[in-house]
């Protein structure tokens, strides 16, 4: 080797950090628009009748979900993998030209796929399966991107110096394997140009269009096995991977119990895959499957809290750090919200509770206390921790970070409290009836009652978005902040006033 | 034996197996303080805490090759 000392190479990390922020802005901006459209339907026409096709709620909704899941969250997962992976395996990307090449290829193919997704969804091209709206040519591109991600994971593991795999690496591997399996099975589809009608005539249609290989109840089952586990392996497993690395590193504290982290890992892996049935309670899927989904969901609280409590206890004796550092605040609040949504989820999975909750805004509330409080906070914390290390500069402003924390926390609280009230009100009104079984309310009665809560949710979402802009600005300014020495980067991140 | 009876036996056997598996794993984690390299599980936290490229690995791959 040359004389230059070996260093970790963060080129690919930086690229994915950029898309995390850019796609986060896009996705959350659309989320806020959606929220206000629900409160003020006139906004569906915000750019006039002519463009209503592109600005209406139904066209924008999948753009929101896919931008935040496959844009913001996935980029965050990739960015942290290319950072954490090198460090805990103690091997640099600079040591392998091949891995470096694959990493960059991974990024650029990802960008191409994102562009294809955005264009096709705006154009209204969709398979109509939630979180799996992409047509088959895009599905193929996604599979290639995913395979490249896998090659990077196993490539780095292959040339590692550290013999054992740190707990986060296990979670990243599980993310890779889990999504690979789910995505392939749920997207088994047949292009309509290849299909023929029962009478033998040609079906035709657009070349990109396809239909699912499964029909009816089977399709629903596979779809929610996928949908639920997309949450598991997209919003939970990789985020746990992040917190197991970034919280100990930032606080300088060893994980409270490494053994508990292993036990929770296997518990989570075993239980999650059976719980998808809770999305299909009281539907046409077999009763025993619904019951099984319910039971596994309730037990799921154990490994979930196992990880979350492990994280909170990691701060044992060091709680002054939570008060002192906004970065640690983000992570502690993230694990608290993780506990919160994994308590709420099992409750909603109980059949009698689900009878009220299903189809209502309470579910949307559950979704967003998970994604805003847990996923969003943890990904932003990870970027805050990585920024000084990849740019070798201190974080631009600590006070900006603290204000962002409080603004966004308020935003999340407004979001989920309003949705709880809205959801439970909705559920109770839908089922209310008089002594003869006539429904007490018509649909529009609920809409009228819910209006104020929709507005509050919109305001909460807007606060979160404002906070996200503060975050983006802070990271941007970090790139030209005061340069720091290697010695300042050991644990707590250096921050400017 | 009809199918329902078979299912019941299968269900019971599976439950016993899982319970033994779970407690066996917990017992393994706590009794086996050190793995074959003489490393305590709790020391694995140091993989994150000391993760500079020139830090000494908790258990190095190259030690393995030397043996
Ligand atoms: C123990 C863990 C959890 C359980 C048992 C659980 C349970 C549930 C239940 C019962 C539903 C409602 C299904 C319905 O009636 O439509 C649901 C929906 C959902 N949950 Fe969870 N949840 C858990 C954790 C989480 C976490 C941590 C997140 C995100 C970070 C999350 C994200 C979602 C999403 C996105 C949906 C909506 C899916 C859709 O209808 O499109 N869940 N969950
Ligand atoms: C600025 C903050 C955000 C706002 C205002 C917002 C708003 C919304 C709205 C209005 C909906 C549609 C609800 C409905 O159909 O009734 C929605 C759905 C959804 N959002 Fe967000 N969102 C935000 C951020 C996020 C983030 C960061 C994520 C994920 C990382 C996310 C994930 C989702 C998911 C998975 C759904 C589908 C839920 C379901 O089908 O039950 N959102 N969001």
């Amino acid at each position: 080797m040359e004389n230059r000392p070996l260093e970790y190479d963060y080129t690919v990390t930086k690229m994915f950090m950029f898309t995390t922020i850019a796609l986060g802005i896009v996705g959350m901006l659309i989320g806020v628009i959606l929220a206000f459209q629900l409160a003020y339907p006139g906004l569906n026409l915000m750019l006039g009748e002519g463009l209503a096709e592109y600005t209406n709620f139904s066209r924008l909704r999948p753009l929101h979900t896919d931008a935040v899941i496959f844009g913001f969250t996935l980029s965050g997962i990739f960015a942290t993998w290319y950072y954490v992976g090198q460090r805990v395996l103690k091997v640099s990307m600079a040591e392998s030209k091949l891995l470096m090449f694959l990493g960059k290829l991974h990024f650029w193919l990802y960008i191409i796929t994102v562009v294809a997704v955005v264009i096709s969804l705006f154009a209204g091209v969709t398979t109509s399966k939630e979180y799996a709206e992409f047509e088959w040519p895009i599905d193929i591109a996604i599979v290639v991107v995913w395979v490249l991600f896998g090659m990077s994971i196993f490539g780095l593991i292959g040339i590692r110096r550290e013999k054992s795999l740190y707990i986060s690496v296990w979670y990243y591997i599980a993310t890779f394997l889990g999504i690979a399996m789910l995505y392939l099975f749920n997207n088994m589809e047949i292009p309509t140009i290849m299909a023929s009608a029962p009478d033998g005539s040609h079906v035709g249609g657009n070349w990109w269009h396809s239909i699912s290989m499964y029909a009816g109840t089977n399709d629903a089952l596979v779809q929610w096995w996928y949908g639920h586990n997309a949450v598991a392996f997209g919003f939970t497993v990789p985020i746990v991977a992040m917190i197991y690395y970034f919280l100990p590193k930032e606080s300088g504290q060893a994980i409270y119990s490494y053994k508990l982290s292993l036990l929770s890992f296997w518990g989570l892996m075993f239980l999650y895959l059976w719980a998808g049935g809770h999305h299909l309670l009281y539907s046409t899927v077999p009763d025993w499957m619904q019951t099984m989904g319910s039971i596994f969901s309730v037990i799921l609280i154990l490994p979930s809290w196992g990880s979350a409590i492990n994280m909170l206890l990691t701060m044992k004796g060091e709680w002054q750090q939570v008060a002192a550092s906004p970065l640690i605040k983000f992570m502690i609040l993230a694990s608290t919200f993780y506990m919160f949504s994994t308590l709420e989820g099992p409750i909603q999975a109980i059949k009698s509770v689900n009878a009220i909750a299903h189809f209502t805004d309470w579910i949307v509330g559950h979704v967003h206390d998970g994604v805003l409080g847990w996923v969003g906070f943890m990904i932003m914390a990870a970027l805050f921790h990585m920024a000084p290390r990849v740019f070798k500069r201190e974080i631009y402003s600590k006070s900006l970070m603290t204000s962002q924390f409080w603004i966004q926390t308020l935003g999340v609280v407004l979001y989920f409290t309003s949705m709880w009230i809205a959801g439970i009100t909705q559920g109770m009104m839908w089922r209310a009836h008089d002594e003869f079984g006539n429904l007490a309310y018509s649909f529009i009665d609920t809409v009228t009652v819910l209006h104020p809560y929709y507005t509050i949710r919109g305001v909460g979402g807007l606060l979160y978005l404002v906070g996200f802009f503060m975050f983006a600005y802070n990271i941007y300014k970090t790139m030209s902040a005061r340069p720091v020495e290697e010695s300042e980067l050991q644990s707590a991140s250096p921050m400017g006033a | 034996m009809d199918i329902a009876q078979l299912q019941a036996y299968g269900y019971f056997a599976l439950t016993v197996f899982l319970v033994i598996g779970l407690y066996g794993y917990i017992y393994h984690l706590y009794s086996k303080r050190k793995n074959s390299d003489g490393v305590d599980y709790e020391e694995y936290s140091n993989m994150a805490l000391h993760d500079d490229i020139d830090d000494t690995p908790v258990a190095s791959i190259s030690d393995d090759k030397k043996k």
Side-chain angles (χ1 to χ4, degrees), chain A residues 12-29:
Chain A
V12 184
T13 304
K14 279 186 223 166
M15 292 164 143
F16 279 114
M17 280 170 74
F18 171 75
T19 48
T20 309
I21 297 175
L23 294 168
I25 292 178
V26 174
M28 293 181 208
L29 181 66

Side-chain angles (χ1 to χ4, degrees), chain A residues 372-408:
Chain A
L372 299 177
W374 158 238
V375 180
F377 271 28
M378 187 55 227
I379 291 180
M380 289 187 294
L383 262 67
F384 269 135
H385 176 93
M386 294 192 294
R389 287 149 182 97
V390 305
F391 299 124
K392 303 246 177 335
R393 286 168 191 277
E394 69 177 6
I395 295 173
Y396 168 67
S397 167
K398 180 178 175 180
S399 52
L400 191 61
M401 199 199 266
T402 311
S403 341
Q404 178 205 337
F405 173 82
W406 290 111
I407 291 178
Q408 290 194 313

Side-chain angles (χ1 to χ4, degrees), chain B:
Chain B
M1 234 186 323
D2 64 359
I3 181 86
Q5 224 177 347
L6 267 178
Q7 278 173 336
Y9 279 117
Y11 181 72
F12 184 74
L14 183 70
T15 310
V16 171
F17 170 77
L18 287 174
V19 169
I20 294 178
L22 175 67
Y23 283 93
Y25 186 55
I26 297 178
Y27 180 75
H28 156 83
L29 284 176
Y30 278 87
S31 63
K32 204 156 144 238
R33 278 286 148 79
K34 294 184 188 303
N35 71 7
S36 51
D37 303 300
V39 180
D40 188 324
Y41 275 119
E42 297 303 331
E43 304 227 330
Y44 283 6
S45 286
N46 289 328
M47 286 192 252
L49 295 178
H50 305 290
D51 62 349
D52 279 333
I53 193 119
D54 39 15
D55 283 339
T56 335
V58 173
S60 172
I61 284 240
S62 47
D63 293 352
D64 228 32
K65 288 184 188 138
K66 272 180 229 148
K67 276 178 206 158

Side-chain angles (χ1 to χ4, degrees), chain A residues 204-479:
Chain A
N206 286 319
W207 63 270
W208 62 73
H209 190 59
S210 59
I211 44 168
S212 173
M213 230 162 77
Y214 318 104
T217 299
N218 287 340
D219 192 40
L221 259 179
V222 178
Q223 162 64 23
W224 282 108
W225 177 67
Y226 164 82
H228 169 73
N229 288 296
V231 170
F233 291 95
F235 283 160
T236 302
V237 172
I239 314 299
V240 176
M242 290 178 203
I243 199 162
Y244 268 130
Y245 173 81
F246 290 106
L247 184 63
K249 188 68 187 167
E250 179 71 25
S251 65
Q253 294 281 97
I255 295 179
Y256 172 68
S257 164
Y258 198 88
K259 292 192 266 293
L260 180 57
S261 76
L262 292 172
L263 190 64
S264 312
F265 175 81
W266 291 111
L268 203 69
M269 292 306 126
F270 176 67
L271 295 175
Y272 242 128
L273 288 164
W274 304 93
H278 66 223
H279 292 270
L280 295 164
L281 299 179
Y282 300 109
S283 73
T284 51
V285 306
D287 202 49
W288 67 267
M289 258 179 173
Q290 301 182 24
T291 308
M292 181 182 74
S294 235
I295 292 174
F296 272 90
S297 304
V298 173
I299 313 177
L300 200 51
I301 194 176
L302 294 174
S304 307
W305 279 43
S307 303
I309 290 180
N310 210 358
M311 281 302 108
L312 294 181
L313 286 177
T314 295
M315 296 310 293
K316 207 169 93 176
E318 287 289 321
W319 286 98
Q320 81 282 359
Q321 287 202 35
V322 182
S325 159
L327 222 172
I328 303 233
K329 278 199 189 73
F330 272 108
M331 290 195 263
I332 290 303
L333 206 81
S335 47
T336 312
F337 268 107
Y338 181 48
M339 287 182 86
F340 187 60
S341 47
T342 54
L343 170 65
E344 186 182 24
I347 293 175
Q348 292 181 329
I350 297 167
K351 275 187 173 180
S352 48
V353 179
N354 197 265
I356 299 181
H358 190 60
F359 290 136
T360 73
D361 289 316
W362 189 9
I363 306 296
V364 178
H366 162 68
V367 171
H368 287 85
D369 52 54
V371 293
L372 299 177
W374 158 238
V375 180
F377 271 28
M378 187 55 227
I379 291 180
M380 289 187 294
L383 262 67
F384 269 135
H385 176 93
M386 294 192 294
R389 287 149 182 97
V390 305
F391 299 124
K392 303 246 177 335
R393 286 168 191 277
E394 69 177 6
I395 295 173
Y396 168 67
S397 167
K398 180 178 175 180
S399 52
L400 191 61
M401 199 199 266
T402 311
S403 341
Q404 178 205 337
F405 173 82
W406 290 111
I407 291 178
Q408 290 194 313
T409 303
L410 179 63
V412 182
V413 171
L414 288 180
Y415 196 126
F416 75 76
T417 45
S418 59
M419 287 298 100
W420 278 0
I421 302 175
I424 294 173
T425 309
Q426 220 174 11
M428 300 305 271
M429 284 177 82
W430 283 344
R431 59 162 48 197
H433 56 79
D434 66 16
E435 56 190 309
F436 306 109
N438 300 312
L439 290 180
Y441 301 100
S442 69
F443 187 75
I444 194 66
D445 296 331
T446 64
V447 176
T448 318
V449 175
L450 298 181
H451 175 77
Y453 303 107
Y454 281 7
T455 311
I456 296 175
R457 185 254 307 268
V459 172
L462 186 63
L463 288 177
Y464 198 88
L465 180 68
V466 168
F468 199 79
F469 275 113
M470 294 164 78
F471 162 70
Y473 179 73
N474 214 348
I475 298 277
Y476 170 73
K477 291 295 265 184
T478 297
M479 294 197 286

